[in-house]
Amino acid sequence: HVQVVESGGGLVQAGGSLRLSCTASGFTWDDYAMAWFRQAPGKEREGVSCINWSGRMTYYTDSVKGRFTISRDNAKNTLYLQMDTLKPEDTALYYCAAVRGWYGGGCLDGNVYNYWGQGTQVTVSS
């Protein structure tokens, strides 16, 4: 069966860094685009970043451009999100998701995704 598991969240001061990881099994990893989403209390889920199967195509929401970097290691079935210069407004539950194929800029739309993890909490203190 499909498993998607995030890790790496935690509490960090503003300006600090965290690296999130997501490992997955139960589907053909190389056929799937991957993404990170987040949801803060009282807010809607937001697409943060997405990456195609090869890692050569990526998209970011405007608020994280220049601060976050998405990558994947296809040999390890692992997705990463390097988060630098963190801000209190980055505080949220971060989710990893997988979708078969590639949607281009539409890859930040959570409605297209097939598989989701349980999330990892990121808290940025001011």
Side-chain angles (χ1 to χ4, degrees), residues 14 21 31 34-35 40 46 65 70 78-79 86 94 100 107 116 121:
S21 298
D31 289 344
M34 301 295 296
E46 175 188 30
K65 285 179 181 177
I70 192 171
T78 302
L79 175 74
L86 282 160
Y94 282 71
R100 185 174 180 132
C107 68
W116 293 82
Q121 179 68 38

Side-chain angles (χ1 to χ4, degrees), residues 27-109:
F27 58 89
T28 306
W29 174 264
D30 289 359
D31 289 344
Y32 281 71
M34 301 295 296
W36 289 99
F37 291 82
R38 65 186 180 186
Q39 188 166 20
K43 295 188 176 181
E44 292 188 355
R45 183 180 61 198
E46 175 188 30
V48 175
S49 183
C50 47
I51 188 168
N52 78 327
W53 72 272
S54 69
R56 295 192 184 98
M57 300 184 69
T58 59
Y59 285 89
Y60 296 90
T61 192
D62 286 346
S63 63
V64 307
K65 285 179 181 177
R67 300 189 298 121
F68 290 11
T69 303
I70 192 171
S71 62
R72 63 191 291 166
D73 185 337
N74 289 347
K76 297 181 179 179
N77 284 22
T78 302
L79 175 74
Y80 302 101
L81 185 68
Q82 178 66 42
M83 304 186 295
D84 298 318
T85 320
L86 282 160
K87 304 176 180 179
E89 50 264 44
D90 294 318
T91 294
L93 189 61
Y94 282 71
Y95 297 92
C96 173
V99 61
R100 185 174 180 132
W102 179 238
Y103 287 78
C107 68
L108 290 177
D109 178 357

